[in-house]
Amino acid sequence: MRTIKDIAKLAGVSRTTVSRVLNNSGYISEKSRKKVMDVIEETGYVPSQHAKSLRTKQTKIIGVILPKISTDTSSRTVDGMNEVFGEKGYQILLTSTNLDKEKEIEHLRLLQNRQVDGIILLATNTDEDLVEEIRKSKVPVVVIGQEVAGDSEIPSVIFDDYGASASLMETLIDNGYRKIGYIGVESSDRAVGVLRKQAYIDAMEKHNLEIGETWIQTGDFSIDSGYEAARRIFEGSRNVDAVFAATDRMGIGAFKYLRKERLSIPEDVAVVGIGSSETSRFIDPAMTTVEYEFEEAGRTGAEILLDILNGEANVPVKKLLDFKLVSRDSL
């Protein structure tokens, strides 16, 4: 394997000159640059990334912490990151917490020990322990999906979860639905567990609509949990005429339960969700949902992190992304 010393000898220049050409730093005459580049082309020399990282103190690797690798949300967000990082010569190292919030802290520490240049965290919570761990991080961290409340220094890319849920509720009510059940998640997840639920409650109160005792149920993002939540809603009240699921996957679970009970969608019960997943388009009837630009979230998070790494001024601390209501046949 060729080394910088070999390239310098063949080109008749110093190792410092070769290093400057490779790193595009310092002054080199055009004549010397051409000599080095000609030898590199002739020999097919590829510089060692490890050796380069020792010189520049950069690994060109970004750690990305996902709640689940297999979800449509995660894959689309990572696709957006790859567009930006790939153009700048960065690679992504993925880890998954499997929705275990304790592992978010564990993986933050793990990635720092792997000497990544920065970290993007698709967070499921922003409790005090996690925020403190981000503050202590030796590398910059950008959070996607959760606003870091009470901290003005941790950059975040968030969706308008309250606005999206309010828009869905107004759509349901405008279409004549009044007895609306809700399937959410635990309140440790502020975006999905708190803001979306609050928009549901506020809309019901705004229109003077009663919320039945069993109409608010909690799942864990999975289809099975949506099924069980729907079962609890309808076992407590058979006259519910619509189900608002905080995620498409839990909405699909509600679909399964309603079909088992031989209830037609939307003739007997309407179902709406959030996420605009691939499955929500292809189930029958297709589900009305809210579409988030997950690829844009990934691109935005990557751009913010690169700006921080490059020492740019005026990096945004919070970036709020818009949503789009996708009306289909489930209401």
Side-chain angles (χ1 to χ4, degrees), residues 133-175:
E133 192 65 33
I134 293 173
R135 289 196 190 107
K136 293 189 303 184
S137 175
K138 294 177 286 188
V139 299
V141 178
V142 175
V143 177
I144 293 181
Q146 300 282 348
E147 182 176 2
V148 186
D151 195 296
S152 59
E153 297 180 359
I154 300 174
S156 60
V157 179
I158 59 175
F159 295 104
D160 186 2
D161 288 287
Y162 185 93
S165 298
S167 178
L168 271 176
M169 285 298 296
E170 291 301 321
T171 299
L172 283 168
I173 293 167
D174 287 348
N175 279 272

Side-chain angles (χ1 to χ4, degrees), residues 283-294:
I283 57 175
D284 184 24
M287 188 189 302
T288 292
T289 183
V290 164
E291 181 175 354
Y292 286 155
E293 290 291 339
F294 294 113

Side-chain angles (χ1 to χ4, degrees), residues 35-96:
K35 283 182 180 180
V36 173
M37 294 307 297
D38 286 346
V39 171
I40 289 174
E41 185 174 348
E42 289 169 8
T43 60
Y45 171 72
V46 178
S48 164
Q49 184 62 39
H50 176 66
K52 186 176 181 182
S53 70
L54 291 176
R55 294 191 301 273
T56 64
K57 304 299 183 184
Q58 288 186 327
T59 61
K60 286 289 187 177
I61 297 174
I62 302 297
V64 177
I65 303 172
L66 304 173
K68 271 185 172 293
I69 287 180
S70 59
T71 66
D72 186 57
T73 298
S74 292
S75 63
R76 288 171 59 189
T77 306
V78 171
D79 283 346
M81 293 180 208
N82 264 326
E83 286 182 34
V84 176
F85 288 134
E87 289 179 0
K88 301 298 182 182
Y90 284 82
Q91 294 178 318
I92 290 176
L93 177 60
L94 297 177
T95 70
S96 172

Side-chain angles (χ1 to χ4, degrees), residues 182-186 197 216-220 225 229 232 250:
Y182 178 80
I183 302 174
V185 300
E186 295 291 342
K197 178 182 176 181
I216 298 178
Q217 297 293 334
T218 299
D220 64 6
S225 73
R232 293 192 295 271
M250 293 191 295

